[in-house]
Amino acid sequence: MKKLFLFLLLPLTYCFSACEGPIGPQGAPGQNGDNGVNILGSVFELEGDFTADNDFAFGFDFPPDEIEVFESDVVLVYILWDVGEDSNGEALPIWRLIPQTVFLENGSFQYNYDHTFLDVNIFLDGFYDFTTLGAEWTQAQLFRVVILPADFINPNARIKVDYSNYDKVISTFKLDDTHVKKY
């Protein structure tokens, strides 16, 4: 029996061993990308006011010469919720993924958004009289928009990330947010 086992094992070992041979020629170089078009992930900031004049919403068209967004890309929007302090006393922004619900004494509302591959629209949503909201909820609201190409979000990828955690998204996808462009 041992001899039969060895007899069967020898061909299997041969089949699964690595083959070595000459290395093929170098392929042709690829084309250079277009200047100024970002096909990697990108991060930028928007500041806006929610007023009755703009129906408590504001939009932003992605500048095609700076940011290229495809229909399959993922667009995430975070609101600056608060500013804390790190151990050195430096300001530490606290970003929350929207939609983000706010509970007040008279009810609740949401910061929400929708997007196409051409633009993003940020708005207040809910059954609430937005005209009664204080300026801290409606004026000079700061948002970070993160665009992740579909290649990053491949459902077969092994990367698991909590998209509600801004810092984890930035570090996982190696995005540079040290010099975020403000629009």
Side-chain angles (χ1 to χ4, degrees), residues 102-138:
V102 177
F103 297 97
L104 299 173
E105 192 173 297
N106 297 332
S108 63
F109 70 94
Q110 276 189 336
Y111 292 97
N112 209 337
Y113 75 104
D114 55 31
H115 70 89
T116 69
F117 64 96
L118 299 173
D119 62 2
V120 64
N121 185 45
I122 303 171
F123 54 93
L124 298 183
D125 195 13
F127 299 103
Y128 197 91
D129 182 2
F130 300 132
T131 61
T132 65
L133 290 172
E136 70 273 18
W137 302 110
T138 60

PDB file of all heavy atoms in Angstrom, residues 102-138:
ATOM      1  N   VAL A 102     -30.390  64.642  13.408  1.00  0.00           N
ATOM      2  CA  VAL A 102     -30.295  65.556  14.539  1.00  0.00           C
ATOM      3  C   VAL A 102     -31.625  65.493  15.283  1.00  0.00           C
ATOM      4  O   VAL A 102     -32.685  65.676  14.681  1.00  0.00           O
ATOM      5  CB  VAL A 102     -30.022  67.004  14.068  1.00  0.00           C
ATOM      6  CG1 VAL A 102     -30.000  67.954  15.253  1.00  0.00           C
ATOM      7  CG2 VAL A 102     -28.732  67.068  13.272  1.00  0.00           C
ATOM      8  N   PHE A 103     -31.560  65.223  16.582  1.00  0.00           N
ATOM      9  CA  PHE A 103     -32.755  65.169  17.427  1.00  0.00           C
ATOM     10  C   PHE A 103     -32.805  66.428  18.276  1.00  0.00           C
ATOM     11  O   PHE A 103     -31.888  66.709  19.035  1.00  0.00           O
ATOM     12  CB  PHE A 103     -32.730  63.923  18.322  1.00  0.00           C
ATOM     13  CG  PHE A 103     -32.755  62.642  17.545  1.00  0.00           C
ATOM     14  CD1 PHE A 103     -31.576  61.961  17.265  1.00  0.00           C
ATOM     15  CD2 PHE A 103     -33.953  62.129  17.072  1.00  0.00           C
ATOM     16  CE1 PHE A 103     -31.593  60.780  16.539  1.00  0.00           C
ATOM     17  CE2 PHE A 103     -33.982  60.951  16.338  1.00  0.00           C
ATOM     18  CZ  PHE A 103     -32.794  60.275  16.068  1.00  0.00           C
ATOM     19  N   LEU A 104     -33.888  67.184  18.099  1.00  0.00           N
ATOM     20  CA  LEU A 104     -34.096  68.408  18.858  1.00  0.00           C
ATOM     21  C   LEU A 104     -35.393  68.301  19.655  1.00  0.00           C
ATOM     22  O   LEU A 104     -36.178  67.370  19.454  1.00  0.00           O
ATOM     23  CB  LEU A 104     -34.142  69.613  17.913  1.00  0.00           C
ATOM     24  CG  LEU A 104     -32.876  69.863  17.084  1.00  0.00           C
ATOM     25  CD1 LEU A 104     -33.110  70.977  16.067  1.00  0.00           C
ATOM     26  CD2 LEU A 104     -31.707  70.205  17.991  1.00  0.00           C
ATOM     27  N   GLU A 105     -35.635  69.268  20.496  1.00  0.00           N
ATOM     28  CA  GLU A 105     -36.831  69.262  21.340  1.00  0.00           C
ATOM     29  C   GLU A 105     -38.121  69.213  20.524  1.00  0.00           C
ATOM     30  O   GLU A 105     -39.083  68.554  20.897  1.00  0.00           O
ATOM     31  CB  GLU A 105     -36.811  70.515  22.224  1.00  0.00           C
ATOM     32  CG  GLU A 105     -37.823  70.492  23.335  1.00  0.00           C
ATOM     33  CD  GLU A 105     -37.635  71.676  24.257  1.00  0.00           C
ATOM     34  OE1 GLU A 105     -36.564  71.764  24.897  1.00  0.00           O
ATOM     35  OE2 GLU A 105     -38.569  72.503  24.317  1.00  0.00           O
ATOM     36  N   ASN A 106     -38.140  69.899  19.365  1.00  0.00           N
ATOM     37  CA  ASN A 106     -39.352  69.982  18.550  1.00  0.00           C
ATOM     38  C   ASN A 106     -39.429  68.938  17.446  1.00  0.00           C
ATOM     39  O   ASN A 106     -40.289  69.020  16.584  1.00  0.00           O
ATOM     40  CB  ASN A 106     -39.470  71.376  17.931  1.00  0.00           C
ATOM     41  CG  ASN A 106     -39.621  72.450  18.979  1.00  0.00           C
ATOM     42  OD1 ASN A 106     -40.131  72.198  20.064  1.00  0.00           O
ATOM     43  ND2 ASN A 106     -39.149  73.634  18.679  1.00  0.00           N
ATOM     44  N   GLY A 107     -38.521  67.993  17.416  1.00  0.00           N
ATOM     45  CA  GLY A 107     -38.522  66.973  16.368  1.00  0.00           C
ATOM     46  C   GLY A 107     -37.117  66.647  15.905  1.00  0.00           C
ATOM     47  O   GLY A 107     -36.136  66.930  16.586  1.00  0.00           O
ATOM     48  N   SER A 108     -37.032  66.093  14.726  1.00  0.00           N
ATOM     49  CA  SER A 108     -35.721  65.706  14.190  1.00  0.00           C
ATOM     50  C   SER A 108     -35.664  66.014  12.691  1.00  0.00           C
ATOM     51  O   SER A 108     -36.683  66.165  12.027  1.00  0.00           O
ATOM     52  CB  SER A 108     -35.462  64.224  14.439  1.00  0.00           C
ATOM     53  OG  SER A 108     -36.407  63.433  13.749  1.00  0.00           O
ATOM     54  N   PHE A 109     -34.443  66.107  12.198  1.00  0.00           N
ATOM     55  CA  PHE A 109     -34.206  66.291  10.770  1.00  0.00           C
ATOM     56  C   PHE A 109     -32.876  65.620  10.430  1.00  0.00           C
ATOM     57  O   PHE A 109     -32.145  65.193  11.320  1.00  0.00           O
ATOM     58  CB  PHE A 109     -34.201  67.782  10.385  1.00  0.00           C
ATOM     59  CG  PHE A 109     -33.011  68.545  10.899  1.00  0.00           C
ATOM     60  CD1 PHE A 109     -31.883  68.718  10.104  1.00  0.00           C
ATOM     61  CD2 PHE A 109     -33.012  69.102  12.171  1.00  0.00           C
ATOM     62  CE1 PHE A 109     -30.787  69.414  10.578  1.00  0.00           C
ATOM     63  CE2 PHE A 109     -31.916  69.810  12.653  1.00  0.00           C
ATOM     64  CZ  PHE A 109     -30.799  69.958  11.847  1.00  0.00           C
ATOM     65  N   GLN A 110     -32.587  65.539   9.137  1.00  0.00           N
ATOM     66  CA  GLN A 110     -31.339  64.923   8.696  1.00  0.00           C
ATOM     67  C   GLN A 110     -30.579  65.845   7.765  1.00  0.00           C
ATOM     68  O   GLN A 110     -31.176  66.570   6.967  1.00  0.00           O
ATOM     69  CB  GLN A 110     -31.611  63.641   7.891  1.00  0.00           C
ATOM     70  CG  GLN A 110     -31.813  62.417   8.693  1.00  0.00           C
ATOM     71  CD  GLN A 110     -31.852  61.179   7.787  1.00  0.00           C
ATOM     72  OE1 GLN A 110     -32.158  61.266   6.604  1.00  0.00           O
ATOM     73  NE2 GLN A 110     -31.543  60.040   8.366  1.00  0.00           N
ATOM     74  N   TYR A 111     -29.252  65.779   7.877  1.00  0.00           N
ATOM     75  CA  TYR A 111     -28.387  66.263   6.808  1.00  0.00           C
ATOM     76  C   TYR A 111     -28.282  65.075   5.866  1.00  0.00           C
ATOM     77  O   TYR A 111     -27.980  63.955   6.284  1.00  0.00           O
ATOM     78  CB  TYR A 111     -26.994  66.625   7.326  1.00  0.00           C
ATOM     79  CG  TYR A 111     -26.977  67.824   8.238  1.00  0.00           C
ATOM     80  CD1 TYR A 111     -26.993  67.676   9.618  1.00  0.00           C
ATOM     81  CD2 TYR A 111     -26.926  69.115   7.708  1.00  0.00           C
ATOM     82  CE1 TYR A 111     -26.963  68.768  10.455  1.00  0.00           C
ATOM     83  CE2 TYR A 111     -26.901  70.219   8.542  1.00  0.00           C
ATOM     84  CZ  TYR A 111     -26.918  70.038   9.914  1.00  0.00           C
ATOM     85  OH  TYR A 111     -26.896  71.137  10.744  1.00  0.00           O
ATOM     86  N   ASN A 112     -28.526  65.292   4.585  1.00  0.00           N
ATOM     87  CA  ASN A 112     -28.512  64.187   3.638  1.00  0.00           C
ATOM     88  C   ASN A 112     -27.905  64.662   2.324  1.00  0.00           C
ATOM     89  O   ASN A 112     -27.646  65.859   2.151  1.00  0.00           O
ATOM     90  CB  ASN A 112     -29.933  63.655   3.416  1.00  0.00           C
ATOM     91  CG  ASN A 112     -29.956  62.192   3.059  1.00  0.00           C
ATOM     92  OD1 ASN A 112     -28.977  61.641   2.576  1.00  0.00           O
ATOM     93  ND2 ASN A 112     -31.091  61.555   3.281  1.00  0.00           N
ATOM     94  N   TYR A 113     -27.694  63.740   1.407  1.00  0.00           N
ATOM     95  CA  TYR A 113     -27.135  64.106   0.111  1.00  0.00           C
ATOM     96  C   TYR A 113     -27.533  63.097  -0.945  1.00  0.00           C
ATOM     97  O   TYR A 113     -27.945  61.979  -0.639  1.00  0.00           O
ATOM     98  CB  TYR A 113     -25.606  64.225   0.175  1.00  0.00           C
ATOM     99  CG  TYR A 113     -24.868  62.911   0.228  1.00  0.00           C
ATOM    100  CD1 TYR A 113     -24.209  62.411  -0.902  1.00  0.00           C
ATOM    101  CD2 TYR A 113     -24.795  62.160   1.395  1.00  0.00           C
ATOM    102  CE1 TYR A 113     -23.517  61.213  -0.859  1.00  0.00           C
ATOM    103  CE2 TYR A 113     -24.110  60.965   1.446  1.00  0.00           C
ATOM    104  CZ  TYR A 113     -23.467  60.494   0.320  1.00  0.00           C
ATOM    105  OH  TYR A 113     -22.790  59.307   0.356  1.00  0.00           O
ATOM    106  N   ASP A 114     -27.421  63.531  -2.186  1.00  0.00           N
ATOM    107  CA  ASP A 114     -27.509  62.616  -3.323  1.00  0.00           C
ATOM    108  C   ASP A 114     -26.467  63.084  -4.328  1.00  0.00           C
ATOM    109  O   ASP A 114     -25.901  64.173  -4.198  1.00  0.00           O
ATOM    110  CB  ASP A 114     -28.912  62.544  -3.921  1.00  0.00           C
ATOM    111  CG  ASP A 114     -29.494  63.879  -4.323  1.00  0.00           C
ATOM    112  OD1 ASP A 114     -28.731  64.789  -4.715  1.00  0.00           O
ATOM    113  OD2 ASP A 114     -30.723  64.033  -4.267  1.00  0.00           O
ATOM    114  N   HIS A 115     -26.188  62.239  -5.308  1.00  0.00           N
ATOM    115  CA  HIS A 115     -25.153  62.600  -6.266  1.00  0.00           C
ATOM    116  C   HIS A 115     -25.364  61.870  -7.581  1.00  0.00           C
ATOM    117  O   HIS A 115     -26.076  60.869  -7.659  1.00  0.00           O
ATOM    118  CB  HIS A 115     -23.759  62.283  -5.716  1.00  0.00           C
ATOM    119  CG  HIS A 115     -23.499  60.804  -5.620  1.00  0.00           C
ATOM    120  ND1 HIS A 115     -22.964  60.078  -6.657  1.00  0.00           N
ATOM    121  CD2 HIS A 115     -23.723  59.924  -4.624  1.00  0.00           C
ATOM    122  CE1 HIS A 115     -22.864  58.807  -6.303  1.00  0.00           C
ATOM    123  NE2 HIS A 115     -23.324  58.683  -5.073  1.00  0.00           N
ATOM    124  N   THR A 116     -24.746  62.406  -8.600  1.00  0.00           N
ATOM    125  CA  THR A 116     -24.585  61.746  -9.883  1.00  0.00           C
ATOM    126  C   THR A 116     -23.082  61.739 -10.134  1.00  0.00           C
ATOM    127  O   THR A 116     -22.306  62.179  -9.285  1.00  0.00           O
ATOM    128  CB  THR A 116     -25.303  62.505 -11.016  1.00  0.00           C
ATOM    129  OG1 THR A 116     -24.616  63.736 -11.252  1.00  0.00           O
ATOM    130  CG2 THR A 116     -26.767  62.754 -10.675  1.00  0.00           C
ATOM    131  N   PHE A 117     -22.673  61.314 -11.314  1.00  0.00           N
ATOM    132  CA  PHE A 117     -21.249  61.396 -11.616  1.00  0.00           C
ATOM    133  C   PHE A 117     -20.863  62.816 -12.053  1.00  0.00           C
ATOM    134  O   PHE A 117     -19.696  63.100 -12.301  1.00  0.00           O
ATOM    135  CB  PHE A 117     -20.829  60.356 -12.670  1.00  0.00           C
ATOM    136  CG  PHE A 117     -21.446  60.549 -14.015  1.00  0.00           C
ATOM    137  CD1 PHE A 117     -20.769  61.221 -15.010  1.00  0.00           C
ATOM    138  CD2 PHE A 117     -22.707  60.047 -14.293  1.00  0.00           C
ATOM    139  CE1 PHE A 117     -21.337  61.404 -16.262  1.00  0.00           C
ATOM    140  CE2 PHE A 117     -23.275  60.212 -15.532  1.00  0.00           C
ATOM    141  CZ  PHE A 117     -22.598  60.898 -16.521  1.00  0.00           C
ATOM    142  N   LEU A 118     -21.836  63.728 -12.091  1.00  0.00           N
ATOM    143  CA  LEU A 118     -21.582  65.118 -12.459  1.00  0.00           C
ATOM    144  C   LEU A 118     -21.601  66.081 -11.272  1.00  0.00           C
ATOM    145  O   LEU A 118     -20.991  67.150 -11.335  1.00  0.00           O
ATOM    146  CB  LEU A 118     -22.627  65.592 -13.477  1.00  0.00           C
ATOM    147  CG  LEU A 118     -22.678  64.833 -14.795  1.00  0.00           C
ATOM    148  CD1 LEU A 118     -23.869  65.292 -15.629  1.00  0.00           C
ATOM    149  CD2 LEU A 118     -21.376  65.008 -15.557  1.00  0.00           C
ATOM    150  N   ASP A 119     -22.332  65.721 -10.198  1.00  0.00           N
ATOM    151  CA  ASP A 119     -22.506  66.670  -9.103  1.00  0.00           C
ATOM    152  C   ASP A 119     -22.893  65.975  -7.810  1.00  0.00           C
ATOM    153  O   ASP A 119     -23.177  64.781  -7.786  1.00  0.00           O
ATOM    154  CB  ASP A 119     -23.571  67.707  -9.462  1.00  0.00           C
ATOM    155  CG  ASP A 119     -24.951  67.088  -9.684  1.00  0.00           C
ATOM    156  OD1 ASP A 119     -25.114  65.868  -9.538  1.00  0.00           O
ATOM    157  OD2 ASP A 119     -25.886  67.841 -10.012  1.00  0.00           O
ATOM    158  N   VAL A 120     -22.899  66.779  -6.746  1.00  0.00           N
ATOM    159  CA  VAL A 120     -23.387  66.319  -5.447  1.00  0.00           C
ATOM    160  C   VAL A 120     -24.323  67.410  -4.917  1.00  0.00           C
ATOM    161  O   VAL A 120     -24.096  68.603  -5.138  1.00  0.00           O
ATOM    162  CB  VAL A 120     -22.219  66.036  -4.459  1.00  0.00           C
ATOM    163  CG1 VAL A 120     -21.431  67.283  -4.132  1.00  0.00           C
ATOM    164  CG2 VAL A 120     -22.725  65.370  -3.191  1.00  0.00           C
ATOM    165  N   ASN A 121     -25.402  66.987  -4.268  1.00  0.00           N
ATOM    166  CA  ASN A 121     -26.388  67.905  -3.709  1.00  0.00           C
ATOM    167  C   ASN A 121     -26.556  67.562  -2.235  1.00  0.00           C
ATOM    168  O   ASN A 121     -26.853  66.419  -1.884  1.00  0.00           O
ATOM    169  CB  ASN A 121     -27.722  67.750  -4.451  1.00  0.00           C
ATOM    170  CG  ASN A 121     -28.743  68.744  -4.001  1.00  0.00           C
ATOM    171  OD1 ASN A 121     -28.453  69.923  -3.846  1.00  0.00           O
ATOM    172  ND2 ASN A 121     -29.962  68.280  -3.771  1.00  0.00           N
ATOM    173  N   ILE A 122     -26.350  68.547  -1.360  1.00  0.00           N
ATOM    174  CA  ILE A 122     -26.464  68.351   0.090  1.00  0.00           C
ATOM    175  C   ILE A 122     -27.682  69.122   0.556  1.00  0.00           C
ATOM    176  O   ILE A 122     -27.881  70.285   0.179  1.00  0.00           O
ATOM    177  CB  ILE A 122     -25.181  68.839   0.798  1.00  0.00           C
ATOM    178  CG1 ILE A 122     -23.961  68.097   0.231  1.00  0.00           C
ATOM    179  CG2 ILE A 122     -25.291  68.647   2.300  1.00  0.00           C
ATOM    180  CD1 ILE A 122     -22.629  68.634   0.700  1.00  0.00           C
ATOM    181  N   PHE A 123     -28.509  68.486   1.401  1.00  0.00           N
ATOM    182  CA  PHE A 123     -29.772  69.117   1.767  1.00  0.00           C
ATOM    183  C   PHE A 123     -30.222  68.692   3.161  1.00  0.00           C
ATOM    184  O   PHE A 123     -29.779  67.676   3.699  1.00  0.00           O
ATOM    185  CB  PHE A 123     -30.859  68.774   0.742  1.00  0.00           C
ATOM    186  CG  PHE A 123     -31.043  67.296   0.499  1.00  0.00           C
ATOM    187  CD1 PHE A 123     -31.988  66.569   1.217  1.00  0.00           C
ATOM    188  CD2 PHE A 123     -30.277  66.626  -0.443  1.00  0.00           C
ATOM    189  CE1 PHE A 123     -32.155  65.206   0.995  1.00  0.00           C
ATOM    190  CE2 PHE A 123     -30.436  65.273  -0.686  1.00  0.00           C
ATOM    191  CZ  PHE A 123     -31.389  64.566   0.041  1.00  0.00           C
ATOM    192  N   LEU A 124     -31.132  69.493   3.721  1.00  0.00           N
ATOM    193  CA  LEU A 124     -31.808  69.139   4.967  1.00  0.00           C
ATOM    194  C   LEU A 124     -33.046  68.349   4.590  1.00  0.00           C
ATOM    195  O   LEU A 124     -33.747  68.678   3.637  1.00  0.00           O
ATOM    196  CB  LEU A 124     -32.186  70.387   5.762  1.00  0.00           C
ATOM    197  CG  LEU A 124     -31.037  71.278   6.221  1.00  0.00           C
ATOM    198  CD1 LEU A 124     -31.580  72.431   7.067  1.00  0.00           C
ATOM    199  CD2 LEU A 124     -29.996  70.494   6.987  1.00  0.00           C
ATOM    200  N   ASP A 125     -33.332  67.321   5.378  1.00  0.00           N
ATOM    201  CA  ASP A 125     -34.425  66.411   5.051  1.00  0.00           C
ATOM    202  C   ASP A 125     -35.224  66.117   6.313  1.00  0.00           C
ATOM    203  O   ASP A 125     -34.657  66.025   7.402  1.00  0.00           O
ATOM    204  CB  ASP A 125     -33.827  65.115   4.485  1.00  0.00           C
ATOM    205  CG  ASP A 125     -34.841  64.243   3.773  1.00  0.00           C
ATOM    206  OD1 ASP A 125     -35.956  64.716   3.485  1.00  0.00           O
ATOM    207  OD2 ASP A 125     -34.512  63.072   3.513  1.00  0.00           O
ATOM    208  N   GLY A 126     -36.519  65.966   6.170  1.00  0.00           N
ATOM    209  CA  GLY A 126     -37.353  65.583   7.304  1.00  0.00           C
ATOM    210  C   GLY A 126     -38.603  66.431   7.406  1.00  0.00           C
ATOM    211  O   GLY A 126     -38.785  67.401   6.672  1.00  0.00           O
ATOM    212  N   PHE A 127     -39.442  66.042   8.336  1.00  0.00           N
ATOM    213  CA  PHE A 127     -40.675  66.773   8.615  1.00  0.00           C
ATOM    214  C   PHE A 127     -40.386  67.729   9.759  1.00  0.00           C
ATOM    215  O   PHE A 127     -40.642  67.425  10.922  1.00  0.00           O
ATOM    216  CB  PHE A 127     -41.810  65.809   8.962  1.00  0.00           C
ATOM    217  CG  PHE A 127     -42.124  64.868   7.830  1.00  0.00           C
ATOM    218  CD1 PHE A 127     -41.698  63.549   7.866  1.00  0.00           C
ATOM    219  CD2 PHE A 127     -42.821  65.304   6.715  1.00  0.00           C
ATOM    220  CE1 PHE A 127     -41.984  62.689   6.824  1.00  0.00           C
ATOM    221  CE2 PHE A 127     -43.108  64.457   5.666  1.00  0.00           C
ATOM    222  CZ  PHE A 127     -42.675  63.144   5.720  1.00  0.00           C
ATOM    223  N   TYR A 128     -39.827  68.870   9.400  1.00  0.00           N
ATOM    224  CA  TYR A 128     -39.378  69.838  10.396  1.00  0.00           C
ATOM    225  C   TYR A 128     -39.475  71.217   9.757  1.00  0.00           C
ATOM    226  O   TYR A 128     -39.215  71.367   8.560  1.00  0.00           O
ATOM    227  CB  TYR A 128     -37.923  69.541  10.794  1.00  0.00           C
ATOM    228  CG  TYR A 128     -37.490  70.191  12.077  1.00  0.00           C
ATOM    229  CD1 TYR A 128     -37.630  69.528  13.289  1.00  0.00           C
ATOM    230  CD2 TYR A 128     -36.959  71.472  12.083  1.00  0.00           C
ATOM    231  CE1 TYR A 128     -37.234  70.126  14.477  1.00  0.00           C
ATOM    232  CE2 TYR A 128     -36.573  72.081  13.266  1.00  0.00           C
ATOM    233  CZ  TYR A 128     -36.702  71.397  14.458  1.00  0.00           C
ATOM    234  OH  TYR A 128     -36.321  71.993  15.635  1.00  0.00           O
ATOM    235  N   ASP A 129     -39.800  72.208  10.535  1.00  0.00           N
ATOM    236  CA  ASP A 129     -39.820  73.577  10.040  1.00  0.00           C
ATOM    237  C   ASP A 129     -38.393  74.116  10.094  1.00  0.00           C
ATOM    238  O   ASP A 129     -37.944  74.612  11.124  1.00  0.00           O
ATOM    239  CB  ASP A 129     -40.764  74.445  10.884  1.00  0.00           C
ATOM    240  CG  ASP A 129     -40.862  75.873  10.383  1.00  0.00           C
ATOM    241  OD1 ASP A 129     -40.225  76.204   9.356  1.00  0.00           O
ATOM    242  OD2 ASP A 129     -41.576  76.670  11.024  1.00  0.00           O
ATOM    243  N   PHE A 130     -37.670  73.987   8.978  1.00  0.00           N
ATOM    244  CA  PHE A 130     -36.262  74.357   8.944  1.00  0.00           C
ATOM    245  C   PHE A 130     -36.036  75.843   9.216  1.00  0.00           C
ATOM    246  O   PHE A 130     -34.949  76.234   9.622  1.00  0.00           O
ATOM    247  CB  PHE A 130     -35.643  73.976   7.595  1.00  0.00           C
ATOM    248  CG  PHE A 130     -35.723  72.509   7.284  1.00  0.00           C
ATOM    249  CD1 PHE A 130     -36.186  72.084   6.046  1.00  0.00           C
ATOM    250  CD2 PHE A 130     -35.352  71.557   8.209  1.00  0.00           C
ATOM    251  CE1 PHE A 130     -36.261  70.734   5.747  1.00  0.00           C
ATOM    252  CE2 PHE A 130     -35.425  70.199   7.921  1.00  0.00           C
ATOM    253  CZ  PHE A 130     -35.881  69.785   6.689  1.00  0.00           C
ATOM    254  N   THR A 131     -37.059  76.671   8.999  1.00  0.00           N
ATOM    255  CA  THR A 131     -36.902  78.108   9.252  1.00  0.00           C
ATOM    256  C   THR A 131     -36.732  78.398  10.739  1.00  0.00           C
ATOM    257  O   THR A 131     -36.286  79.482  11.102  1.00  0.00           O
ATOM    258  CB  THR A 131     -38.107  78.907   8.705  1.00  0.00           C
ATOM    259  OG1 THR A 131     -39.299  78.465   9.361  1.00  0.00           O
ATOM    260  CG2 THR A 131     -38.235  78.741   7.193  1.00  0.00           C
ATOM    261  N   THR A 132     -37.075  77.447  11.598  1.00  0.00           N
ATOM    262  CA  THR A 132     -36.924  77.647  13.045  1.00  0.00           C
ATOM    263  C   THR A 132     -35.562  77.193  13.565  1.00  0.00           C
ATOM    264  O   THR A 132     -35.270  77.377  14.746  1.00  0.00           O
ATOM    265  CB  THR A 132     -38.031  76.894  13.816  1.00  0.00           C
ATOM    266  OG1 THR A 132     -37.862  75.488  13.606  1.00  0.00           O
ATOM    267  CG2 THR A 132     -39.411  77.350  13.381  1.00  0.00           C
ATOM    268  N   LEU A 133     -34.732  76.615  12.692  1.00  0.00           N
ATOM    269  CA  LEU A 133     -33.422  76.139  13.128  1.00  0.00           C
ATOM    270  C   LEU A 133     -32.475  77.309  13.374  1.00  0.00           C
ATOM    271  O   LEU A 133     -32.488  78.301  12.644  1.00  0.00           O
ATOM    272  CB  LEU A 133     -32.801  75.222  12.069  1.00  0.00           C
ATOM    273  CG  LEU A 133     -33.446  73.865  11.890  1.00  0.00           C
ATOM    274  CD1 LEU A 133     -32.845  73.149  10.686  1.00  0.00           C
ATOM    275  CD2 LEU A 133     -33.278  73.020  13.154  1.00  0.00           C
ATOM    276  N   GLY A 134     -31.634  77.158  14.379  1.00  0.00           N
ATOM    277  CA  GLY A 134     -30.632  78.174  14.670  1.00  0.00           C
ATOM    278  C   GLY A 134     -29.500  78.136  13.655  1.00  0.00           C
ATOM    279  O   GLY A 134     -29.314  77.152  12.921  1.00  0.00           O
ATOM    280  N   ALA A 135     -28.707  79.197  13.637  1.00  0.00           N
ATOM    281  CA  ALA A 135     -27.594  79.320  12.691  1.00  0.00           C
ATOM    282  C   ALA A 135     -26.570  78.197  12.857  1.00  0.00           C
ATOM    283  O   ALA A 135     -25.913  77.817  11.895  1.00  0.00           O
ATOM    284  CB  ALA A 135     -26.917  80.681  12.858  1.00  0.00           C
ATOM    285  N   GLU A 136     -26.448  77.637  14.055  1.00  0.00           N
ATOM    286  CA  GLU A 136     -25.476  76.557  14.268  1.00  0.00           C
ATOM    287  C   GLU A 136     -25.812  75.310  13.449  1.00  0.00           C
ATOM    288  O   GLU A 136     -24.952  74.468  13.212  1.00  0.00           O
ATOM    289  CB  GLU A 136     -25.345  76.196  15.759  1.00  0.00           C
ATOM    290  CG  GLU A 136     -26.539  75.509  16.367  1.00  0.00           C
ATOM    291  CD  GLU A 136     -27.627  76.447  16.910  1.00  0.00           C
ATOM    292  OE1 GLU A 136     -27.654  77.633  16.535  1.00  0.00           O
ATOM    293  OE2 GLU A 136     -28.458  75.975  17.704  1.00  0.00           O
ATOM    294  N   TRP A 137     -27.049  75.195  12.980  1.00  0.00           N
ATOM    295  CA  TRP A 137     -27.478  74.053  12.171  1.00  0.00           C
ATOM    296  C   TRP A 137     -27.543  74.369  10.678  1.00  0.00           C
ATOM    297  O   TRP A 137     -27.606  73.453   9.857  1.00  0.00           O
ATOM    298  CB  TRP A 137     -28.857  73.561  12.635  1.00  0.00           C
ATOM    299  CG  TRP A 137     -28.889  73.163  14.067  1.00  0.00           C
ATOM    300  CD1 TRP A 137     -29.531  73.818  15.085  1.00  0.00           C
ATOM    301  CD2 TRP A 137     -28.254  72.042  14.660  1.00  0.00           C
ATOM    302  NE1 TRP A 137     -29.317  73.171  16.271  1.00  0.00           N
ATOM    303  CE2 TRP A 137     -28.530  72.055  16.036  1.00  0.00           C
ATOM    304  CE3 TRP A 137     -27.452  71.004  14.172  1.00  0.00           C
ATOM    305  CZ2 TRP A 137     -28.061  71.105  16.922  1.00  0.00           C
ATOM    306  CZ3 TRP A 137     -26.985  70.047  15.049  1.00  0.00           C
ATOM    307  CH2 TRP A 137     -27.283  70.104  16.409  1.00  0.00           C
ATOM    308  N   THR A 138     -27.581  75.662  10.346  1.00  0.00           N
ATOM    309  CA  THR A 138     -27.835  76.021   8.946  1.00  0.00           C
ATOM    310  C   THR A 138     -26.748  76.859   8.281  1.00  0.00           C
ATOM    311  O   THR A 138     -26.666  76.875   7.058  1.00  0.00           O
ATOM    312  CB  THR A 138     -29.162  76.799   8.825  1.00  0.00           C
ATOM    313  OG1 THR A 138     -29.063  78.001   9.613  1.00  0.00           O
ATOM    314  CG2 THR A 138     -30.343  75.964   9.291  1.00  0.00           C
TER     315      THR A 138
END
